[in-house]
């Protein structure tokens, strides 16, 4: 027989409305959200995901079509968000989307504070909001400070659990759908939402309808077959890590260690809570487990994947801290704040060699082309298109779609025969229609270098070398072409 899930614990004294709680807490959370994101404003770009989204947004703004003129293995919500921000504030800076990222963190912190306050009282609400903002920077700065997909997943997942906790099933389903439309792994929050709904057919139907409607709308607004391929069925090779096991394992261990270090002050309370009251907070443990499954999905373990773990971890830590004596609780919070300060210092002081390379390469591209020339960048850093303000010659903004290198592999299962289905046929058709004025080989010895990719070698026969920038080679179309 199906067992009714245990109801989440509630505080004995329910929080009162109209007591000025949020008027005091929200400014504190806003200040902390801004302080913990100061490094994000220190550089024009943090990682290739930001560059990819910026290029997509520019193409869409000039009449491009998602999943046709420009493609990615992601749902459309964040590209549309970038497009909207650029429409309002211009596309020469990522400042508007960085501000949206701060807002996303603030909303997430406020929702977590509301969840914790409802369950355990006012002090727990403050603790949950603050803890989330502190530990969410506990990764490599290029993962924690970037305005990437996972940042915008977080308010959606927190909203899904918040709505389910209040038995607002349709709204919870809508939030699940929005999380999926931000990135596929955002749909993992459906598990704790279903747990909270229990065996209620009416609740399940409302959740299902709420989740399906925004996804269906997005498919119809783009192209249903393209949406299905690029978000679900077309990523089989990308999700395999065969031949790169040690490479992937090292990345998984490194990023796990970073987040563990950020939570160092909370580990003992969390372990004690799991040991002494394993049945408490079952929905939060399920949320943590489903988020961990989202991190594992695809077997790539990039640092920004781990951001999905931070909201449920903040709530679990809040629950664990409640029963501690004040000195221990203060020590745990102080240790967490110290770890946050170390990560922020890292973000402010660490050099960004790949950004420097991309900026130098973009300057060289602008010298060898005019604003209306098309450029083919053979590499994994699409931000160079954005920095140089040049139009890509193909819908494939990285070499990964044509070689399967985009998963961060170290060599195996990379090459022409591992490309996405029909990618090379489409690529040749695009270049035959309008050949690029400049081809930039930015492979720098990686497994997808031209000497290993026969179609690219053939393409370069009609071009001549004109410059070398930090190992990247620029080829201009020969005069006879």
């Amino acid at each position: 027989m199906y067992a009714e899930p245990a109801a989440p614990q509630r505080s004995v004294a329910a929080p009162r409305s109209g007591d000025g709680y949020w008027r005091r807490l929200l400014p504190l959370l806003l200040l902390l959200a801004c302080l913990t994101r100061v490094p994000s404003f220190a550089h024009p770009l943090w990682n290739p995901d930001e560059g990819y989204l910026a290029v997509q947004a520019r193409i869409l703004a000039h009449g491009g079509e998602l999943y046709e003129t420009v493609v990615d293995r992601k749902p459309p919500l964040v590209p549309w968000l970038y497009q909207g921000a650029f429409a309002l504030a211009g596309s020469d800076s990522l400042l508007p989307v960085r501000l949206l990222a701060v807002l996303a963190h603030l909303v997430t912190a406020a929702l977590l504070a509301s969840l914790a306050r409802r369950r355990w009282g006012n002090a727990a609400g403050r603790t949950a909001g603050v803890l989330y903002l502190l530990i969410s920077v506990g990764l490599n700065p290029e993962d924690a400070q970037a305005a990437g997909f996972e940042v915008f997943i977080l308010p959606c997942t927190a909203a899904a659990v918040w709505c389910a906790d209040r038995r607002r099933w349709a709204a919870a389903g809508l939030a699940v759908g929005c999380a999926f439309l931000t990135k596929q792994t955002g749909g993992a929050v459906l598990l704790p939402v279903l747990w909270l709904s229990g065996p209620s057919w009416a609740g399940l139907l409302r959740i299902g309808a709420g989740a399906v409607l925004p996804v269906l709308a997005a498919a119809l607004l783009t192209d249903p077959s393209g949406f299905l391929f690029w978000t679900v069925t077309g990523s089989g090779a990308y999700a395999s890590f065969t031949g790169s096991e040690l490479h992937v394992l090292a990345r998984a261990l490194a990023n796990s260690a970073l987040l563990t270090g950020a939570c160092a002050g909370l580990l003992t309370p969390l372990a004690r809570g799991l040991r002494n009251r394993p049945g408490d907070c079952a929905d939060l443990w399920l949320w943590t487990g489903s988020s961990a499954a989202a991190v594992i999905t695809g077997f790539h373990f990039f640092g920004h994947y781990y951001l999905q773990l931070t909201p449920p971890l903040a709530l679990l830590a809040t629950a664990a801290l409640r029963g501690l004596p004040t000195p221990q609780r203060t020590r745990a919070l102080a240790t967490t704040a110290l770890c946050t300060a170390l990560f922020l210092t890292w973000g402010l002081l660490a050099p960004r060699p790949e950004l420097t390379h991309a900026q130098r390469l973009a300057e060289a591209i602008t010298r060898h082309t005019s604003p209306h020339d098309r450029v083919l960048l053979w590499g994994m850093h699409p931000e160079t298109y954005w920095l140089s303000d040049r139009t890509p010659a193909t819908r494939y903004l990285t070499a990964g779609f044509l070689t399967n290198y985009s998963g961060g592999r170290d060599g195996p299962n990379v090459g022409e025969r591992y490309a996405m289905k029909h990618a090379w046929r489409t690529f040749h058709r695009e270049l035959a229609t309008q050949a690029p004025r400049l081809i930039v080989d930015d492979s720098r010895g990686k497994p997808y270098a031209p000497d290993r990719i026969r179609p690219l070698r053939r393409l370069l026969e009609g071009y001549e070398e004109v410059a070398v920038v930090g190992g990247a080679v620029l080829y201009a179309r020969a005069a006879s072409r």
Side-chain angles (χ1 to χ4, degrees), residues 8 10 108 111-112 114-116 118-120 153-169 171-177 179 186-197 207 281-288 290-291 308 311-312 315:
R10 304 290 180 213
T108 304
L111 288 168
L112 296 178
S114 180
L115 273 165
R118 174 175 162 85
R119 295 187 180 196
W120 307 305
I153 285 178
L154 301 179
C156 298
T157 56
V161 176
W162 187 93
C163 292
D165 191 59
R166 286 159 173 76
R167 306 183 67 81
R168 300 175 185 176
W169 306 124
L174 181 64
V176 171
V189 76
L190 180 62
L191 288 179
V193 168
L194 291 177
W195 173 268
L196 288 169
S197 75
I207 291 169
C281 305
D283 59 322
L284 301 183
W285 286 112
L286 183 59
W287 188 5
T288 304
S290 64
S291 299
Q308 274 190 256
L315 287 174

Side-chain angles (χ1 to χ4, degrees), residues 134-135 137-139 253-267 332 335-340 342-343:
L134 293 178
I135 67 175
V137 300
L139 294 162
L253 292 175
N255 288 318
S256 298
L258 286 174
L259 185 57
T260 300
C263 299
L266 308 172
L267 296 179
T335 302
T336 305
L338 176 60
C339 293
T340 298
L342 293 175
F343 278 101

Side-chain angles (χ1 to χ4, degrees), residues 357 361 377 440-444 465 467-475:
H357 172 76
L361 190 55
L377 178 65
V440 181
D441 170 24
D442 194 30
S443 58
R444 290 177 280 166
E465 181 180 324
V468 178
V469 179
V473 186
L474 281 68
Y475 298 90

Side-chain angles (χ1 to χ4, degrees), residues 32-43:
L32 191 56
C34 292
L35 288 175
T36 53
R37 263 67 212 176
V38 165
S40 73
F41 299 94
H43 300 288

